[in-house]
């Protein structure tokens, strides 16, 4: 499969820097770290200290914790929604792939759709935080038919303007 380097849009640069997950279960933390421009350790520390996430397993990073962490780092997230294909996804999402309906377990990747400077068509890509994927599959644009089962749509939190007393 092709990598980002082989895309037909040479000016394309991913909007987010890939953060690699550090164990088999913290892919959601890695996706949040990418969105927040933080390290996975910083995201995990907030989860432990502020949201009482266990320091040691077993644990699951569910949509409630994902939503709380996103909010903490200035993002808004929806609840998990079923994907009916790439067209059903918002421009930025934490997507669940390799989903097993029997165990209701999958893993998370970051999906993004962006129109690069000078381009007319958007580029859709995923950033896969898994430490076991080949380098050429860590940031991928060849995702037509990619098996995204569920997703949490995300967008930056609106900036509020502080009111001053007169």
């Amino acid at each position: 499969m092709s990598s980002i380097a082989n895309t037909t849009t040479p000016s394309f640069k991913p909007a987010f820097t890939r953060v690699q997950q550090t164990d088999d279960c913290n892919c959601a933390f890695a996706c949040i770290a990418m969105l927040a421009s933080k390290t996975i350790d910083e995201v995990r520390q907030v989860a432990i200290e502020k949201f009482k996430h266990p320091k040691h397993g077993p644990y699951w990073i569910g949509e409630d914790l994902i939503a709380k962490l996103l909010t903490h780092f200035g993002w808004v997230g929806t609840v998990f929604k079923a994907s009916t294909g790439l067209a059903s996804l918002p421009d930025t999402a934490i997507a669940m792939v390799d989903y097993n309906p029997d165990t209701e377990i999958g893993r998370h990747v970051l999906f993004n759709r962006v129109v690069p400077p000078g381009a007319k068509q958007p580029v859709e890509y995923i950033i896969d935080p898994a430490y076991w994927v080949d380098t050429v599959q860590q940031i991928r644009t060849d995702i037509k038919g990619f098996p995204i089962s569920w997703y949490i749509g995300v967008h930056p939190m609106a900036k509020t303007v502080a009111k001053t007393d007169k």
Side-chain angles (χ1 to χ4, degrees):
M1 299 199 166
S2 65
S3 70
I4 201 74
N6 294 332
T7 184
T8 57
T9 310
S11 63
F12 173 69
K13 182 178 182 327
F16 305 99
T17 301
R18 181 179 181 268
V19 173
Q20 183 167 291
Q21 65 190 83
T22 56
D23 65 33
D24 291 342
C25 300
N26 64 6
C27 50
F29 284 169
C31 290
I32 294 165
M34 289 183 237
L35 290 164
S37 298
K38 301 290 182 188
T39 67
I40 199 167
D41 288 337
E42 289 172 306
V43 172
R44 185 173 179 273
Q45 199 62 35
V46 169
I48 292 168
E49 290 176 4
K50 188 168 182 178
F51 302 115
K52 308 300 182 219
H53 181 71
K55 286 184 181 181
H56 306 286
Y59 63 81
W60 174 250
I61 303 167
E63 69 184 358
D64 288 343
L65 181 56
I66 291 170
K68 288 174 184 176
L69 286 166
L70 287 169
T71 300
H72 176 84
F73 290 111
W75 289 79
V76 176
T78 66
V79 295
F80 272 114
K81 296 179 182 176
S83 171
T84 58
L86 294 177
S88 71
L89 301 178
D91 288 344
T92 307
I94 296 175
M96 185 170 289
V97 299
D98 297 337
Y99 179 73
N100 180 329
D102 293 331
T103 61
E104 295 185 346
I105 294 175
R107 62 187 193 87
H108 301 91
V109 298
L110 184 61
F111 170 83
N112 193 229
R113 179 185 301 116
V114 64
V115 179
K120 292 182 180 6
Q121 296 297 318
V123 173
E124 296 174 323
Y125 64 97
I126 62 159
I127 303 176
D128 194 331
Y131 61 83
W132 60 87
V133 298
D134 291 333
T135 303
V136 296
Q137 294 181 336
Q138 293 174 354
I139 301 174
R140 302 170 51 157
T141 57
D142 61 334
I143 61 171
K144 185 174 182 179
F146 198 80
I148 295 173
S149 302
W150 298 89
Y151 68 91
I152 295 174
V154 296
H155 62 272
M157 201 175 282
K159 302 282 186 208
T160 58
V161 178
K163 293 183 180 180
T164 58
D165 293 327
K166 292 187 179 187

